[in-house]
Every structure is written in structure tokens, then in C-alpha cells.
Amino acid sequence: MGLMRSALLAGSRNAWLRERAMRTSFVRKSVSRFMPGETLDEALAAARSLQQSERLGSILTHLGENLTSPSEAEEVTAHYLDVLERVRSGGYDCEISVKPTQLGLDLDPELAFRNLAAIARRALELSNFVWIDMESTPYVDPTLSLFHRVRSEAPSIGVCLQAYLHRTRADLEALLPLGPAIRIVKGAYSEPPSLAIARKADVDENFYFLCTRMLRPDSLERGARVAIGTHDGRLVERLQRFVTEAAVPRGRYEFEMLYGIQRGLQRRLLAEGWPLRVLISYGEFWFPWYMRRLAERPANVLFVVRSMFR
Ligand code: FDA
């Protein structure tokens, strides 16, 4: 892992830095590039604008992780239930994406299960869909177990798998008999080489393998659906070729990107008629999430530095 990336990921967990950065105006200004605002209203307004101007659907995620009390997890659950109602009543094309530690996974797996199940059941009733984000490696097993349990009650749920982990191919094979919805991403946390593939080119290759594994006839027959979560133009093109050559039915795959990243690529996909959604993050607790975005592309740090002088 590059030095800059390691430093940014270490910084993402530093409380002192978080306190200061969140109050600093040039940091707040540069965050706005990736986040339309801190409130649900601002996120919905951005989703509305994308939907109306580009027919682009969204996924909403309220930032926050590693909560410390059950009441906070219950507040987050109530918030997501409200989001589902607002999406329905406002006619938005928006799914939601949740982090298990926001729902209480650190505190009590049963609490996280109850919270996630309540959200997924309501999403099912409202014909909406819930994605489960994947956090750092200690959470992979508990997250997959949550996914299994909740999905058996409310199938309107998908889970994220990270291509940088050595274990992910085996995890995917174990999930395939369910005919699941899975979002494949490269992975955004700092993990040791014993757990994560070190070379970027190998992560990219594994990403391609995992997506195409989801799109092979035996997976599709079982009902699999893949969300291809990347801004990597080369991978996007390779997967477009695969989907075209294998005549994969529409509805079994979509591209997913983050709000504000690779807008040119997003517009090209939309203009060519490819299925695409963007994930819109909002909330006051944006610091660790923002540091992970900087770590993904150290050139973003230059952007922050430049905005210091504007
Ligand atoms: P890569 O990092 O190779 O970037 C490819 C190109 O995209 C770069 O060269 C650059 O041009 C552009 N780019 C990428 N990131 C950028 C940035 N921050 N700023 C500016 N340009 C950028 N991770 C995780 O561990 N758990 C999860 O649950 C999720 N969920 C998730 C959902 C969705 C919809 C997406 C798109 C991503 C995630 N991720 C995630 C994040 C993911 O793991 C990964 O860190 C980022 O997507 C960056 O990797 P890329 O695949 O874009 O490739």
C-alpha cells in the first residue's frame, strides 16, 4: 500500500484530526465535491436533480459508523425508515445503503439484526431495495451472517463484497446458491497483506473475475444480480464487452459510482443507455468516509491543498 494511502487511512481513524478537520472551512469546501450536503433534504434534492436532468437513479447513505449506544443505532434505523417513506411519497428513484456498525453491530449482533430486518421489511413493502455496505475485515463474517438472516425474511436486500480480500472468491461461491444481489467493489479500508491482495493490478483482475462470475449462466439461472461498483474506466469497458458478448439480460447488472466522481464516465454510460446509479452520501459524520475518498486518489489531496489558498 502506498505511503500516502496508508497515512490517509490511518488519519481517517484519528479523533484529534477529525475534530479539527470537521471545523475547517477549506476541508468542508472540498468535501462538497463528493457530498451535496449534510442533510437528507440536500441529498434528496441532489437525487431529484439527477433523476430529472439525466434520468439517473441514486442510492442514499447516511454517514456514520461504529456507534457507541443502542439508542443511537435505533435513531439511525428510524432515520432510514423515514428515508424509505420520503422516497416513496416524493416519487424518487432512490435505494438505500447501510453500514452494519451504524445499526449496532459492534454493540450487539441481535440489535443490528432487528434494526436491519425492520429496514429491509419496510423496503420490501414499499418495493424498494437495501444494500449492506462492507466495512473492515473484522466485520465481514458478522455482516454476511446478517445478510443471510435478514434475506430469509425480506429478500429486498443485497450485500457488498470487496475484491481486495483473499477470501472474497470463497465468500462469493458460498453466496451464489442464494441467487443474491451483490455489489462488487475494490475495497476502501487499510488491511494487512495476509488478508488483502497487495498489488492494485491483481485487485483489478479479481474485481473482473468476481463480476463475471456473477454474470455466468449458472449464477444468472439462480437469480444473481451484480452491481459493478467502480469508477475504473478500463474495468467498466471490459465488463461492458463481457455483458454484450454474453448477452447478459438487462436487469441482472448495473454500474454504480459515487456522487461527484468520474462525472464524464457517468455521462457517457447514461448517453449510451447503460444502467447506472450513483451513491449519494450525506450526514454530519463525514470525516472517516472523506479520508477514504482521499486515499483512493491521492491527487484529491492536491485539490484540498489548492482550496486552502482560494
Ligand atoms: P480506482 O481506485 O482504481 O479508481 C479508478 C479511477 O476512478 C481513478 O483513477 C480515478 O480517476 C477515479 N477515482 C476513484 N476514486 C476516486 C476518488 N475518490 N476521487 C476522485 N476520483 C476517483 N468500499 C468498501 O470497502 N465497502 C463498501 O461498502 C463500498 N461501497 C461502495 C459503493 C459504491 C457504489 C462504490 C462506487 C464504491 C464503494 N466502495 C466501498 C469504495 C470502493 O471500495 C473503492 O474504494 C472506490 O470505489 C475506488 O475504487 P475504484 O473501483 O473506483 O477504482
Side-chain angles (χ1 to χ4, degrees):
M1 195 191 304
L3 263 184
M4 173 85 97
R5 180 161 189 261
S6 314
L8 289 164
L9 290 177
S12 75
R13 296 186 299 273
N14 185 302
W16 182 88
L17 202 58
R18 182 180 68 227
E19 290 298 305
R20 270 141 202 87
M22 288 183 75
R23 289 199 304 260
T24 310
S25 66
F26 72 82
V27 176
R28 296 179 72 89
K29 203 161 89 190
S30 58
V31 172
S32 63
R33 198 174 157 216
F34 303 126
M35 191 176 90
E38 291 186 356
T39 65
L40 174 61
D41 283 338
E42 286 166 310
L44 284 171
R48 171 78 81 211
S49 150
L50 292 173
Q51 192 174 334
Q52 288 179 342
S53 60
E54 302 176 40
R55 292 217 207 119
L56 177 54
S58 306
I59 303 165
L60 299 176
T61 194
H62 185 241
L63 295 171
E65 46 204 275
N66 303 99
L67 305 184
T68 53
S69 77
S71 62
E72 283 179 285
E74 270 145 22
E75 271 170 39
V76 174
T77 306
H79 175 80
Y80 276 119
L81 291 172
D82 180 47
V83 175
L84 289 171
E85 302 303 329
R86 298 265 312 264
V87 163
R88 167 62 167 240
S89 62
Y92 295 94
D93 179 8
C94 288
E95 299 175 347
I96 60 172
S97 199
V98 300
K99 283 198 182 355
T101 59
Q102 267 188 306
L103 301 177
L105 188 62
D106 276 329
L107 308 170
D108 172 8
E110 280 308 306
L111 171 75
F113 168 71
R114 280 197 306 277
N115 288 337
L116 184 59
I119 295 170
R121 277 196 296 266
R122 192 65 191 128
L124 184 63
E125 285 161 7
L126 296 173
S127 308
N128 205 325
F129 197 82
V130 182
W131 288 101
I132 313 177
D133 286 350
M134 188 59 80
E135 299 171 80
S136 55
T137 40
Y139 299 111
V140 176
D141 280 320
T143 298
L144 293 177
S145 129
L146 266 181
F147 172 63
H148 270 277
R149 284 182 70 193
V150 174
R151 192 178 181 280
S152 66
E153 285 191 18
S156 55
I157 193 158
V159 70
C160 178
L161 292 182
Q162 297 153 322
Y164 66 3
L165 296 185
H166 297 300
R167 58 175 288 170
T168 297
R169 285 191 188 199
D171 287 335
L172 181 63
E173 285 307 320
L175 288 170
L176 276 176
L178 297 175
I182 295 183
R183 174 199 293 150
I184 304 290
V185 301
K186 290 189 189 174
Y189 296 82
S190 170
E191 303 290 356
S194 56
L195 299 174
I197 302 170
R199 276 187 64 223
K200 187 180 178 313
D202 296 337
V203 176
D204 293 354
E205 213 41 52
N206 203 35
F207 185 102
Y208 181 77
F209 173 88
L210 295 164
C211 290
T212 52
R213 179 70 191 92
M214 289 287 293
L215 294 167
R216 289 223 303 252
D218 59 323
S219 313
L220 296 176
E221 271 159 31
R222 292 154 155 167
R225 177 164 81 85
V226 65
I228 303 167
T230 186
H231 317 91
D232 185 331
R234 214 179 58 92
L235 273 171
V236 167
E237 274 172 33
R238 277 181 83 188
L239 286 157
Q240 285 178 305
R241 273 200 300 280
F242 181 92
V243 160
T244 307
E245 280 159 20
V248 177
R250 231 184 134 84
R252 309 311 288 279
Y253 66 91
E254 74 180 2
F255 293 95
E256 289 186 359
M257 299 190 192
L258 303 180
Y259 176 87
I261 296 183
Q262 290 281 47
R263 287 292 284 141
L265 179 57
Q266 292 182 15
R267 291 203 185 93
R268 178 176 71 70
L269 289 180
L270 288 172
E272 293 171 4
W274 292 89
L276 172 70
R277 267 182 196 276
V278 288
L279 188 144
I280 300 178
S281 300
Y282 63 96
E284 288 166 22
F285 194 77
W286 43 259
F287 180 73
W289 165 87
Y290 172 64
M291 292 294 274
R292 289 198 292 273
R293 301 292 78 81
L294 293 187
E296 279 156 11
R297 190 159 182 258
N300 287 339
V301 177
L302 278 182
F303 181 84
V304 181
V305 174
R306 261 191 251 123
S307 59
M308 277 169 77
F309 299 103
R310 263 182 221 139

